[in-house]
Amino acid sequence: MQRRTLLGLAASAGAVGVLGAAVTVADQPTAPPATYAEEPVLPAREWNSPVVTTDETTAGSKRYGTVRQHASVLDLEPTGRYALVTKYRLIPGSNYNASSGWKARSLTVEHAWNSGTLVTHPGDVVPDNDGDADSNLYVDTSRSTGQYRWHLTFDAATGNSHTVRFATVVDHDKEPETGDALADATFGAGFTEGFLRATERDLATARLVMRETSE
């Protein structure tokens, strides 16, 4: 299992670097209202499928906030499908230092498969279609070939910690081999502080590489 800790803004797929960024956060979210899914994404260990690779990556700083990603790729044998399951622990800086004033404003997640056809994309947070929206939660989603992206926004910045999971499942034309790069799991979090609205945003990418199957 790979284990990395990143500070600042981490660069493109497979490469890690510190770019650093401060962004302006809009006063009002533009994404559609969201709600928590009736059937949350199961932890990777409960899929009852062989794990072919895992990764744990942390981005951010205890000064303003951190977000930790646990990523696993599962072989959904004998279907020929593979699943990428990611869990995020979002911790605002005010959890580390109550007087800091730093709160979480957004979380962005993207699954990008290097091959295969996207079949499904469950998440713990979904667009609201039934009038059950959380009053403080919005989500914007987008997809392209082999990719799916979630962008969560809190209407009012929150000092609470949050844990959410997302997953994508793809059909593979051929069975990947050991050493093949299967997917990139990219995630980012936005944090804001106090009256002056100082902001920080971190982005990190973990590349998931095929390893020997473990039960």
Side-chain angles (χ1 to χ4, degrees):
M1 175 172 132
Q2 303 170 350
R3 187 180 298 270
R4 293 172 290 171
T5 300
L6 311 176
L7 298 180
L9 184 63
S12 60
V16 175
V18 179
L19 304 181
V23 298
T24 300
V25 179
D27 288 336
Q28 295 295 330
T30 58
T35 188
Y36 288 94
E38 292 184 3
E39 296 183 7
V41 176
L42 292 175
R45 65 180 180 276
E46 295 182 19
W47 285 59
N48 297 320
S49 295
V51 176
V52 299
T53 187
T54 63
D55 181 274
E56 180 181 304
T57 302
T58 301
S61 163
K62 289 184 178 180
R63 180 177 67 85
Y64 52 84
T66 61
V67 57
R68 178 175 297 173
Q69 173 184 265
H70 296 267
S72 299
V73 176
L74 311 174
D75 182 354
L76 305 182
E77 57 185 15
T79 64
R81 294 179 175 180
Y82 288 79
L84 171 57
V85 181
T86 54
K87 171 187 172 182
Y88 300 90
R89 180 65 171 167
L90 180 64
I91 305 177
S94 57
N95 275 229
Y96 295 107
N97 180 359
S99 63
S100 74
W102 281 97
K103 298 181 178 181
R105 189 61 189 262
S106 65
L107 174 68
T108 304
V109 174
E110 183 178 278
H111 291 186
W113 289 87
N114 292 325
S115 62
T117 302
L118 191 63
V119 176
T120 187
H121 43 79
D124 282 357
V125 177
V126 296
D128 171 50
N129 295 316
D130 302 312
D132 297 323
D134 186 295
S135 61
N136 189 37
L137 191 61
Y138 299 80
V139 64
D140 200 8
T141 61
S142 61
R143 66 179 295 171
S144 58
T145 303
Q147 296 184 346
Y148 202 85
R149 181 178 181 272
W150 299 261
H151 179 62
L152 279 63
T153 308
F154 299 100
D155 186 14
T158 176
N160 298 327
S161 297
H162 290 267
T163 301
V164 291
R165 291 182 178 86
F166 298 94
T168 48
V169 176
V170 296
D171 266 326
H172 258 273
D173 296 331
K174 64 177 183 178
E175 184 175 347
E177 300 178 355
T178 300
D180 286 350
L182 298 173
D184 292 330
T186 299
F187 64 100
F191 302 94
T192 185
E193 179 192 26
F195 178 75
L196 295 178
R197 296 290 184 91
T199 61
E200 294 283 351
R201 180 169 173 78
D202 289 299
L203 182 70
T205 296
R207 172 153 290 181
L208 286 306
V209 176
M210 182 79 171
R211 302 186 185 281
E212 293 184 2
T213 299
S214 61
E215 299 293 342

